[in-house]
Amino acid sequence: MSPTTHSPPSIPPTPPPDAGTSAARVHRGEVSAYETVRDSLASIGRIAHLHAFTEVWPEEALERARSADDALARGADLPLAGVPVAVKASEGTGSHQAEALVRAGAVPVGSTSVPGPGTAWKTWGRTDAGPTLNPWDPDVVPGGSSAGSAVAVATGAVPWATASDGAGSTRIPAAWCGVLGYKPTTGLLPARDRAGLTVGGPIARTVPDLELYRRVVLGGSPVPVPARIRVAWSGTLGFNTPEPETVELAERALRRWERGSGAVEVVDAPVALADPAEAWLARRGTGPDVRASVSRGDRRVLAELFSRVDLLATPTTPNPPHPHTGPGEVMSVGFTWLFNLTGHPAVSLPAGRTVRGLPVGLHLVAVHHADAFLLSAAADAERTAAPVLYPG
């Protein structure tokens, strides 16, 4: 299943325009929506060897782009006119988030891979052409379940893609492909599963695109970066046994942000929580049952923590991307699935690459409904720690 080793990364040497920049160029008349989508389709063709897409829709996408150009000429208000978007195959264009993006003028160009049957882990994508490959190293998985979405964004084929996250399925592939993934506060979007664990969200290459998604899909205005951001750091949450290099890279990114920002203070706030595996599995099996949730003790710990700090920071995953043969005994969801149970908003930012060159993420978690603040803080991290947070 694994391809030839030592292949060069399939990452563009110069990042292509993000969604906000693409939309602005179309509105200024520097490029048409049609040309923007045409270029995206060409980029999708160039990454066919990575098997990120289950379907590509060139005719429909180009027709939508022509319609967007015509609508703009008539004075229509389309803030995302001509911005290509890939959609997660398990959601398609019918999800709430995809429909909101399309109404704003975004153009769906294809559906991205998700895991298929046959393995116990969900950190890979399946297509008729073969498994989805990580663009940094084809010998390892891209993460999942939003596998193809992360690959499509990391390679510049599209500026953003829809994803969904029931245990880390947006944040994990974002971390392992060197891009960004945002899980909104649970309840802001319709749940994607019976248990109420899975929430939609975007994978993108820049924080401004995450914020653009939030304004278009969820509504609300941006907030300025606070003068003071108190961040608690935990390398384990009390129950993970992560690989040291992954922890080191995430904490190094956090400390760089602290040094570079002037607004950030990393505080000593030990976090000791219980492993949520049993509660998560019970909730997934039985539905949204309060008995199958985070313990009252852990809820008190988190409530007390967020009364003293603005953000909780952890590695996004306990491990870097694993080979196609599987992760072994490591639970790649170790830092993420707790917050599907609790509903807190969270974002994964690139934290750098391992000695082998594999991306890992820095995970930021905020109090419920502080999504605008979370992304404002993430934007500050992106600006002040960019050499570490953007590994491209």
Side-chain angles (χ1 to χ4, degrees):
M1 179 180 290
S2 181
T4 304
T5 58
H6 306 304
S7 298
S10 301
I11 303 293
T14 302
D18 62 12
T21 301
S22 292
R25 293 181 63 199
V26 171
H27 278 271
R28 290 194 299 263
E30 297 173 6
V31 66
S32 67
Y34 182 91
E35 292 168 324
T36 302
V37 171
R38 182 198 61 195
D39 290 347
S40 176
L41 291 167
S43 295
I44 292 171
R46 287 193 289 271
I47 65 160
H49 62 290
L50 298 177
H51 310 148
F53 285 82
T54 58
E55 293 182 355
V56 182
W57 310 315
E59 295 83 3
E60 181 180 352
L62 291 171
E63 184 56 38
R64 283 181 182 269
R66 288 191 189 96
S67 297
D69 285 327
D70 292 343
L72 284 178
R74 296 191 302 269
D77 180 18
L78 293 175
L80 302 181
V83 176
V85 60
V87 295
K88 187 174 180 177
S90 56
E91 291 194 350
T93 57
S95 67
H96 178 93
Q97 58 180 343
E99 289 179 345
L101 294 170
V102 170
R103 282 195 302 272
V107 177
V109 293
S111 60
T112 55
S113 65
V114 296
T119 71
W121 66 92
K122 299 294 182 182
T123 48
W124 62 294
R126 178 182 182 274
T127 73
D128 290 342
T132 307
L133 310 180
N134 191 302
W136 291 97
D137 183 342
D139 288 330
V140 300
V141 298
S145 62
S146 306
S149 288
V151 174
V153 173
T155 56
V158 292
W160 56 7
T162 64
S164 58
D165 191 315
S169 290
T170 298
R171 292 163 286 165
I172 292 169
W176 287 357
C177 290
V179 288
L180 296 89
Y182 161 47
K183 183 197 85 66
T185 297
T186 300
L188 294 182
L189 287 169
R192 299 298 301 171
D193 64 337
R194 182 174 63 90
L197 291 167
T198 303
V199 60
I203 291 177
R205 205 179 56 256
T206 68
V207 177
D209 275 0
L210 298 183
E211 171 60 23
L212 181 58
Y213 168 98
R214 188 189 68 82
R215 297 201 308 269
V216 169
V217 176
L218 304 177
S221 301
V223 300
V225 176
R228 184 166 176 255
I229 305 171
R230 291 170 60 84
V231 184
W233 163 254
S234 177
T236 68
L237 289 180
F239 57 85
N240 286 291
T241 307
E243 295 189 21
E245 188 181 19
T246 304
V247 177
E248 180 185 354
L249 285 166
E251 184 173 12
R252 189 186 302 168
L254 175 63
R255 298 294 178 177
R256 184 182 181 90
W257 180 27
E258 181 183 34
R259 292 193 303 272
S261 171
V264 177
E265 179 188 2
V266 179
V267 302
D268 182 16
V271 181
L273 299 165
D275 189 336
E278 183 178 353
W280 190 95
L281 292 169
R283 173 85 168 262
R284 174 54 65 89
T286 62
D289 186 337
V290 69
R291 292 169 297 178
S293 189
V294 178
S295 71
R296 289 182 180 179
D298 281 353
R299 289 187 182 277
R300 283 195 297 269
V301 169
L302 287 170
E304 193 277 334
L305 176 69
F306 281 115
S307 73
R308 296 188 291 122
V309 302
D310 303 297
L311 295 171
L312 169 62
T314 74
T316 304
T317 60
N319 53 325
H322 61 74
H324 292 269
T325 51
E329 298 301 316
V330 177
M331 294 295 289
S332 301
V333 296
F335 286 105
T336 53
W337 61 349
L338 171 65
F339 302 105
N340 295 89
L341 281 167
T342 65
H344 290 82
V347 63
S348 178
L349 305 173
R353 286 185 282 161
T354 67
V355 171
R356 184 181 164 184
L358 302 178
V360 296
L362 172 66
H363 189 224
L364 301 179
V365 184
V367 71
H368 296 100
H369 300 287
D371 296 60
F373 162 76
L374 172 66
L375 295 184
S376 176
D380 186 59
E382 185 174 61
R383 284 191 299 269
T384 59
V388 169
L389 293 180
Y390 179 64

